[in-house]
């Protein structure tokens, strides 16, 4: 098994629960491959007994009895007892309860939305199992785990049946850039790491597939452009695992966002649909899954969040798949892409720029540290946009930080294979000239890059800070 990397805070929060004098019920959720089960396994190393049960993937025709039979097989293997067939979840859960009455025990139900998908009373039976059996062992921790974040939110976290029973909810996000760097030896450049991360994001399982002995381009070809490559077929599993229904429409939404952040109405217009309440539900579910991020602009004068917001496709793998893999599956399977240069992919510079922007926005804490800004000093920090009106021009800023001290940090995020030239100064100044803000505020331009800036940029002393991501990871 690969070395476990990251999740220090999550492990600390889990470990703290072992000091309680009562049993704990924990919910862990997050996208496919984000490392939910792996985290629980790492946590399980400190337990005398660790038992894991996982539901069958929701293939067409999978019945409740299929799930029960699989559960029974796992029960027999986990507890080393003869196989016994169950016809009801209450009986199966009672049998588990008889095996976990005492001792320091960790019990994991993995992909619980699959496990009980065919039994409408399943969650009520889980609640009864917790109340009548599991929590009677004060040294037991029961973990419910799943990729279907919206299902977990609706059926467990927001369910009256589980109110007051859940000790901890962990929503796993991508690993930080510092953690991602640990998948490579120190002699690999930040530029090369970021090229790979432009495809994988901070998803642990994808990073484990990277071979650090070969260049990023070769890893990307093997994973994304070779017949049978892991990331060639990954997409079709993601949405079916998460939503269990209407996956085609979810795909259409992320396709629209693949070219850049958009307002809700823009999304509806591009899909030629009415902005119904169901669209809000689709967007909310994608956001809960961690695939998109809703970012509100705000009033600089009041610091109050505006009603205006844009949705950003914040998952790097999804964008890369939609732009380069999905449209070329047939050619990839025929081996026609194995020798294709990444630099020759259409719109490569634009797309890798969006991917790098995602990495920066998902690791904004590093930017605060580089700028010596304390979190408590920040009023708002997000991508900022100002719609064009008859009185003011439009303006879009990659990332802006407004502090309590009247400072606006205008952050320009640039990913380039070459050093960045003086043109960037004109680009940023045009944005500042278009920005409408009250008197008394100071605009502090910041350049965030990875592969260097020209001496001309440095000598002009225009930027308050020039932040090299390589120095932060």
């Amino acid at each position: 098994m690969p070395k476990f990397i990251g999740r220090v805070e999550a492990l600390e929060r889990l470990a703290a629960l072992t000091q309680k004098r009562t049993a704990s019920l924990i919910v862990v959720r997050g996208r496919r491959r984000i490392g939910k089960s792996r985290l629980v396994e790492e946590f399980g190393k400190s337990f005398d007994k660790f038992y894991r049960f996982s539901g069958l993937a929701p293939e067409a025709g999978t019945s409740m009895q299929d799930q029960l039979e699989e559960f029974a097989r796992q029960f027999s293997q986990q507890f080393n007892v003869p196989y016994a067939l169950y016809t009801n979840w209450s009986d199966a859960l009672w049998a588990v309860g008889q095996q976990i009455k005492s001792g320091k025990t960790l019990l994991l139900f993995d992909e619980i939305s699959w496990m009980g998908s065919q039994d409408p009373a399943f969650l009520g039976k889980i609640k009864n199992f917790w109340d009548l059996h599991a929590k009677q062992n004060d040294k037991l921790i029961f973990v419910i785990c799943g990729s279907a974040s919206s299902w977990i939110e609706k059926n467990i976290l927001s369910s009256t049946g589980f109110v007051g029973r859940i000790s901890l909810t962990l929503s796993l996000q991508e690993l930080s850039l510092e953690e991602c760097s640990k998948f490579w030896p120190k002699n690999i450049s930040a530029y090369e790491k970021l090229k790979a991360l432009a495809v994988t994001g901070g998803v642990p399982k994808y990073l484990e597939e990277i071979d650090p002995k070969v260049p990023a381009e070769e890893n990307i070809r093997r994973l994304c452009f070779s017949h049978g490559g892991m990331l060639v077929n990954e997409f079709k599993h993601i949405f079916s695992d998460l939503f269990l229904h209407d996956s085609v429409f979810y795909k259409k939404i992320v396709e629209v966002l693949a070219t850049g952040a958009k307002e809700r109405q823009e999304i509806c217009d591009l899909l030629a649909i009415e902005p119904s309440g169901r669209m809000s539900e689709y967007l909310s579910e994608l956001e809960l899954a961690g695939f998109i991020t809703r970012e509100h602009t705000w009033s600089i004068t009041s610091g109050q969040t505006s009603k205006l917001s844009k949705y950003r496709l914040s998952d790097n793998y999804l964008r890369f798949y939609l732009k380069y893999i999905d449209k070329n599956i047939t050619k990839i399977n025929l081996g026609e892409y194995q020798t294709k240069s990444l630099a020759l992919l259409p719109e490569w510079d634009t797309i890798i720029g969006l991917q790098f922007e995602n990495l920066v926005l998902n690791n904004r804490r590093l930017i605060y540290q580089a700028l010596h800004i304390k979190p408590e000093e920040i009023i708002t920090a997000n991508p900022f946009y100002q719609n064009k009106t008859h009185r003011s021009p439009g303006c879009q800023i990659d990332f802006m930080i407004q502090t309590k001290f009247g400072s606006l940090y205008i952050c320009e995020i640039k990913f380039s294979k070459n050093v960045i030239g003086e043109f960037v100064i004109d680009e940023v100044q045009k944005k500042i000239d278009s920005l409408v803000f009250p008197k008394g505020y100071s605009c502090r331009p910041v350049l965030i890059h990875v592969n260097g800036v020209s001496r001309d940029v440095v000598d002009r002393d225009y930027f308050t800070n020039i932040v090299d991501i390589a120095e932060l990871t």
Side-chain angles (χ1 to χ4, degrees):
M1 183 177 293
K3 178 183 177 183
F4 187 81
I5 293 174
R7 308 294 186 208
V8 173
E9 182 182 351
L11 285 170
E12 288 175 348
R13 296 182 71 186
L14 289 168
L17 295 177
T18 63
Q19 305 304 309
K20 289 172 54 185
R21 297 182 180 180
T22 58
S24 297
L25 174 58
I26 299 170
V27 176
V28 181
R29 62 179 178 178
R31 82 186 293 287
R32 175 182 170 89
R33 310 291 198 186
I34 204 66
K36 302 178 296 297
S37 305
R38 184 75 172 85
L39 171 68
V40 179
E41 289 172 1
E42 186 70 15
F43 177 49
K45 291 179 179 179
S46 63
F47 282 77
D48 299 331
K49 294 175 280 188
F50 173 35
Y51 305 112
R52 174 181 174 181
F53 295 87
S54 184
L56 292 171
E59 304 288 345
T62 301
S63 66
M64 183 178 78
Q65 193 55 46
D66 292 329
Q67 296 285 0
L68 281 165
E69 289 176 6
E70 177 61 22
F71 188 89
R73 292 186 189 95
Q74 294 178 25
F75 181 91
S76 174
Q77 295 163 1
Q78 297 271 340
F79 296 111
N80 195 27
V81 296
Y83 174 84
L85 182 61
Y86 303 104
T87 58
N88 185 288
W89 276 111
S90 294
D91 294 337
L93 294 170
W94 175 87
V96 173
Q98 300 308 298
Q99 298 286 341
I100 57 170
K101 289 183 175 181
S102 62
K104 188 178 180 182
T105 304
L106 179 61
L107 175 65
L108 169 63
F109 278 13
D110 204 357
E111 298 298 357
I112 194 168
S113 62
W114 301 354
M115 195 180 290
S117 61
Q118 303 299 317
D119 183 357
F122 177 73
L123 289 171
K125 295 170 183 176
I126 290 288
K127 183 192 79 68
N128 288 341
F129 165 70
W130 169 254
D131 288 344
L132 300 175
H133 302 288
K135 76 174 187 180
Q136 305 308 314
N137 177 356
D138 58 11
K139 294 183 179 179
L140 179 133
I141 292 183
F142 178 29
V143 181
I144 290 173
C145 190
S147 300
S149 294
S150 58
W151 186 94
I152 289 175
E153 178 68 32
K154 179 181 178 181
N155 294 285
I156 298 177
L157 299 178
S158 299
S159 169
T160 55
F162 288 90
V163 170
R165 292 175 170 81
I166 299 171
S167 297
L168 175 65
T169 299
L170 291 175
S171 297
L172 297 192
Q173 307 299 322
E174 294 184 7
L175 296 177
S176 69
L177 285 175
E178 305 105 305
E179 292 167 332
C180 292
S181 290
K182 295 177 182 177
F183 286 84
W184 285 271
K186 291 182 179 180
N187 58 318
I188 302 299
S189 72
Y191 179 65
E192 179 166 328
K193 294 175 188 176
L194 287 163
K195 280 189 288 186
L197 291 171
V199 177
T200 64
V203 179
K205 180 57 180 175
Y206 302 164
L207 290 168
E208 288 176 355
E209 297 296 318
I210 295 288
D211 180 359
K213 296 179 181 179
V214 300
E217 288 81 1
E218 188 170 332
N219 276 297
I220 293 170
R221 273 194 289 270
R222 174 175 55 84
L223 294 172
C224 303
F225 296 117
S226 301
H227 179 57
M230 177 189 175
L231 298 183
V232 174
N233 299 309
E234 173 73 356
F235 183 91
K236 67 182 181 181
H237 299 297
I238 287 177
F239 285 178
S240 61
D241 286 0
L242 284 171
F243 305 117
L244 313 178
H245 63 88
D246 292 338
S247 61
V248 173
F249 195 76
Y250 289 103
K251 181 182 178 183
K252 289 181 179 178
I253 294 173
V254 295
E255 282 177 331
V256 165
L257 295 177
T259 55
K262 293 176 178 62
E263 295 183 46
R264 183 174 181 273
Q265 186 61 54
E266 288 181 272
I267 298 170
C268 293
D269 291 344
L270 289 167
L271 293 176
I273 62 170
E274 293 296 321
S276 64
R278 184 64 181 129
M279 171 55 82
S280 295
E281 191 174 336
Y282 282 129
L283 292 169
S284 176
E285 289 176 352
L286 283 166
E287 190 176 6
L288 274 173
F291 292 144
I292 68 174
T293 302
R294 185 182 186 184
E295 292 164 331
H296 288 266
T297 192
W298 69 94
S299 165
I300 297 174
T301 303
S302 67
Q304 297 298 309
T305 299
S306 168
K307 292 181 180 179
L308 295 174
S309 64
K310 289 189 176 184
Y311 290 90
R312 172 172 58 92
L313 180 55
S314 48
D315 187 284
N316 275 4
Y317 167 70
L318 291 192
R319 180 182 280 112
F320 190 88
Y321 176 88
L322 293 169
K323 289 296 295 183
Y324 299 119
I325 301 176
D326 189 37
K327 301 171 184 177
N328 298 292
I329 287 288
T330 301
K331 291 181 179 179
I332 290 170
N333 288 335
L334 291 174
E336 295 179 14
Y337 262 66
Q338 286 183 323
T339 58
K340 193 173 184 70
S341 170
L342 296 182
L344 297 179
L345 293 173
E347 301 178 80
W348 174 247
D349 289 341
T350 299
I351 295 303
I352 200 170
L354 289 171
Q355 304 292 68
F356 180 56
E357 190 173 317
N358 267 346
L359 292 170
V360 172
L361 293 174
N362 292 345
N363 289 270
R364 55 188 67 187
R365 178 180 56 81
L366 292 176
I367 306 305
Y368 303 152
Q369 291 175 358
L371 300 179
H372 304 291
I373 301 173
K374 297 178 180 178
E376 59 269 22
E377 297 172 355
I378 297 171
I379 294 176
T380 313
N382 247 340
F384 181 88
Y385 70 101
Q386 171 185 285
N387 284 340
K388 185 177 181 179
T389 69
H390 67 281
R391 293 195 301 178
S392 62
C395 175
Q396 184 152 329
I397 296 168
D398 295 343
F399 184 49
M400 188 167 83
I401 306 167
Q402 180 177 348
T403 73
K404 295 177 180 178
F405 308 123
S407 288
L408 299 173
Y409 290 85
I410 314 299
C411 300
E412 181 76 4
I413 302 171
K414 289 287 187 187
F415 185 94
S416 175
K417 62 182 178 182
N418 302 312
V419 295
I420 299 168
E422 284 186 280
F423 70 89
V424 73
I425 295 176
D426 293 333
E427 287 184 4
V428 174
Q429 189 57 47
K430 284 179 182 178
K431 293 181 182 183
I432 293 176
D433 291 342
S434 300
L435 186 63
V436 177
F437 56 91
K439 291 182 179 179
Y441 273 79
S442 299
C443 284
R444 306 186 185 280
V446 175
L447 177 60
I448 301 169
H449 70 98
V450 64
N451 216 28
V453 297
S454 70
R455 171 50 57 184
D456 291 336
V457 173
V458 176
D459 289 345
R460 283 183 61 177
D461 200 26
Y462 171 79
F463 289 101
T464 301
N465 296 84
I466 297 177
V467 180
D468 184 351
I469 289 294
E471 296 177 358
L472 305 181
T473 58

